[in-house]
Amino acid sequence: MNQLTTDRLMEIIRDCAGEGDPIEAAGGRPEDLDFAALGYDSLALLETLGRLEREFGVAIQEDEFARATTPAQLTTLVNRLLAAVS
Amino acid sequence: MRADTVVTGMGVVAPTGLGHAEHWAGTLRGASAIGPVTRFDAGRYPSRLAGEVASFVPEDHLPSRLLPQTDHMTRMALVASDWALADAGVDPGRLPEYGVGVVTAASAGGFEFGHRELQNLWRHGPQHVSAYQSFAWFYAVNTGQISIRHGLRGPAGALVTDQAGGLDALGQARRQLRRGQPMVLAGAVDGSPCPWGWVAHVSTGRMSEEPDPARAYRPFDTEAGGYVPGEGGALLVLESEEAARARGAARRYGRLAGYAATFDPPPGSGRPPNLLRAARAALDDADLRPGEVDVVFADAAGTPEEDAIEAEALRTLFGPRGVPVTAPKTMTGRLSAGGPALDVATALLALREGVIPPTVNIARPLPEHTLDLVTAPRRTPLATALILARGHGGFNSALVVTGPRRPGRATTPQRQESKPS
């Protein structure tokens, strides 16, 4: 089954919205940081949302999407939707 | 007494060069940048030449974050804004949050970006349209992006008057300065080298269909046959003299001494076009007489009819061959709103260097125009330049700049006597 990894997600975001802000060494794993802390604004995420829906063939509800504020959470959300359609 | 508006920085991105130094050197050499369109396949269009900024590589100048959300001309505008502020010695982060305004002009917005996303919409469906389409193709996009990039939150605006916009943006900036704004970044970087933008140009019926780059855009020539479009432009840092002095600005390229805009009567009215009135009003605004103008940067539309209107306006104002006239845009093509803004930058450099840059590719100027057309660099003391611009649909604008050697009429009365008018 097609699955999203956080690495792949970060690749997609970079493709949609460019490089994020440099991350402080003490800031923990990037996938657990808020998108805002990574330097991605709401439009960057909207662009990413469109790409995820096209690439993975899922429909992501806006309120669910808004609650996923880190790459790890968004990855989990997409994979849950993928599991539901398969 | 109104406060002076001075130009303290410029950022140039032009077919003739990246940065004002390269642009000026190329312009003096008469190095035309008009050539075959490379940014899309123009093979099936009647006109296939453009003035492209060949050496511009966005990745060299801008963070990757800005690339997915910007049209090509916005990228050039952002880089011009970086250079203009740096040239003025301004660190925007150290200025008051609302201290700097931004006014740009646009003729089409991010047309290439819009074209691509509309193609996605109709070919693949709404899910395939970029979220950045929500602003990237707007007329106001350059003003917005420049404002965000540098944190400039003063009065902002975007003007849409085709070519004339390049001057109108500077006129609007001066209004803001007169209302007490200390600094405004203003001008235009424009161009829409994509099939959609091209069709808009073709539809004017004024584009040159001549395939030879050396013969395609020859305003005021007996063989004038239309214009060649191009991309690029210039942004200027404008300040009130008081604000420039207060922050210890290192240089003044010159002073924006006069500005005026008019609109043509409707076709068929029998009334004359209003380019002449714009030029007169700009000189009145500058409190200068025609005899005090040292050089005119012409609109140089490139069609026989429009050239005749401009030549007649110049003859009426200055007399036959009464003033040197030049059109360095013969090297770049017409850059939409970016063109006249670039002309202002070029004029300021001409005043500083004391050289009138040439009009190229003019083999046989039409004698009836009675213009003193400058076709090779002409070294001469220059204090005052008049820049003219016309926009499709009836826009006329005129702007007067005076060089650093002419700080103000009141302080240099001797000039009036030294030059008969």
Side-chain angles (χ1 to χ4, degrees):
Chain A
M1 189 186 80
N2 199 7
Q3 275 238 330
L4 178 65
T5 63
T6 52
D7 281 351
R8 176 70 190 130
L9 174 63
M10 295 310 290
E11 240 175 74
I12 290 171
I13 295 180
R14 274 194 294 274
D15 202 40
C16 287
E19 289 291 331
D21 288 337
I23 296 155
E24 300 295 321
R29 298 190 311 159
E31 57 264 38
D32 292 327
L33 292 177
D34 269 8
F35 288 115
L38 294 167
Y40 295 112
D41 60 16
S42 56
L43 265 172
L45 293 177
L46 199 58
E47 182 76 0
T48 304
L49 170 71
R51 181 72 74 81
L52 288 170
E53 289 188 327
R54 295 202 300 272
E55 193 170 321
F56 291 88
V58 291
I60 306 173
Q61 296 301 314
E62 269 185 45
D63 53 340
E64 278 195 299
F65 183 72
R67 281 196 297 273
T69 59
T70 69
Q73 286 171 10
L74 183 54
T75 306
T76 305
L77 170 62
V78 171
N79 285 331
R80 182 163 57 75
L81 293 169
L82 278 170
V85 294
S86 67
Chain B
M1 169 84 192
R2 279 163 157 173
D4 275 357
T5 296
V6 293
V7 180
T8 57
M10 61 171 73
V12 168
V13 175
T16 31
L18 293 183
H20 62 74
E22 202 178 298
H23 160 67
W24 177 247
T27 300
L28 278 193
R29 276 201 312 278
S32 174
I34 290 174
V37 172
T38 66
R39 294 186 47 76
F40 68 98
D41 179 7
R44 288 184 296 150
Y45 297 86
S47 303
R48 297 165 204 166
L49 299 175
E52 296 182 346
V53 185
S55 52
F56 182 74
V57 180
E59 291 79 5
D60 292 352
H61 306 285
L62 295 170
S64 67
R65 191 95 54 90
L66 285 169
L67 300 181
Q69 56 176 281
T70 44
D71 184 87
H72 185 70
M73 61 93 206
T74 298
R75 296 169 183 176
M76 293 194 290
L78 284 167
V79 172
S81 77
D82 291 355
W83 292 346
L85 291 169
D87 188 43
V90 172
D91 176 359
R94 300 176 61 130
L95 293 171
E97 192 175 3
Y98 296 95
V100 188
V102 183
V103 182
T104 67
S107 66
F111 237 50
E112 188 183 22
F113 194 105
H115 175 121
R116 194 176 60 232
E117 296 309 324
L118 289 177
Q119 226 166 11
N120 284 339
L121 173 65
W122 296 112
R123 192 171 285 170
H124 306 294
Q127 292 300 323
H128 292 259
V129 177
S130 165
Y132 297 119
Q133 171 80 343
S134 57
F135 58 76
W137 67 333
F138 286 0
Y139 291 120
V141 66
N142 290 359
T143 291
Q145 286 284 19
I146 290 167
S147 162
I148 292 165
R149 178 164 172 79
H150 302 289
L152 312 177
R153 304 187 68 187
L159 289 111
V160 183
T161 56
D162 188 31
Q163 302 267 337
L167 302 186
D168 294 336
L170 301 174
Q172 174 65 10
R174 189 180 65 160
R175 271 182 212 116
Q176 299 294 3
L177 294 174
R178 286 179 170 175
R179 286 172 191 154
Q181 189 65 29
M183 182 185 292
V184 180
L185 183 56
V189 178
D190 207 353
S192 43
C194 63
W196 190 24
W198 208 249
V199 166
H201 281 289
V202 170
S203 72
T204 65
R206 293 170 180 176
M207 239 174 144
S208 171
E209 296 183 5
E210 164 66 48
D212 177 358
R215 299 166 57 89
Y217 176 37
R218 291 190 288 175
F220 306 116
D221 193 276
T222 46
E223 290 179 46
Y227 73 95
V228 171
E231 59 179 12
L235 294 172
L236 306 179
V237 175
L238 301 178
E239 299 181 69
S240 67
E241 172 53 37
E242 192 188 352
R245 202 183 305 128
R247 74 170 180 95
R251 81 169 69 75
R252 315 277 188 280
Y253 285 102
R255 197 167 68 93
L256 200 169
Y259 162 75
T262 61
F263 198 72
D264 282 340
S269 72
R271 286 180 282 142
N274 279 327
L275 179 66
L276 173 62
R277 276 182 55 204
R280 268 206 180 113
L283 287 172
D284 285 349
D285 183 46
D287 196 18
L288 290 168
R289 284 169 296 123
E292 293 176 280
V293 173
D294 298 311
V295 60
V296 174
F297 284 70
D299 173 57
T303 63
E305 185 188 47
E306 291 169 292
D307 286 352
I309 290 167
E310 185 166 32
E312 191 189 327
L314 293 173
R315 186 167 52 247
T316 307
L317 205 50
F318 299 99
R321 299 177 209 283
V323 68
V325 175
T326 191
K329 65 183 63 161
T330 45
M331 291 174 242
T332 63
R334 289 171 72 78
L335 314 183
S336 301
L342 181 65
D343 273 345
V344 173
T346 310
L348 288 165
L349 295 168
L351 298 184
R352 187 175 76 175
E353 304 295 328
V355 185
I356 301 174
T359 311
V360 302
N361 295 331
I362 308 301
R364 288 186 299 152
L366 200 64
E368 297 93 288
H369 285 336
T370 62
L371 294 179
D372 173 12
L373 199 61
V374 177
T375 53
R378 187 184 296 179
R379 185 162 285 285
T380 176
L382 298 172
T384 303
L386 170 68
I387 298 101
L388 300 178
R390 282 175 292 185
H392 190 61
F395 299 102
N396 306 288
S397 292
L399 190 136
V400 179
V401 288
T402 55
R405 288 173 211 167
R406 185 192 175 93
R409 191 190 180 105
T411 54
T412 54
Q414 71 279 7
R415 184 178 156 69
Q416 233 171 301
E417 292 144 21
S418 67
K419 187 169 182 209
S421 53

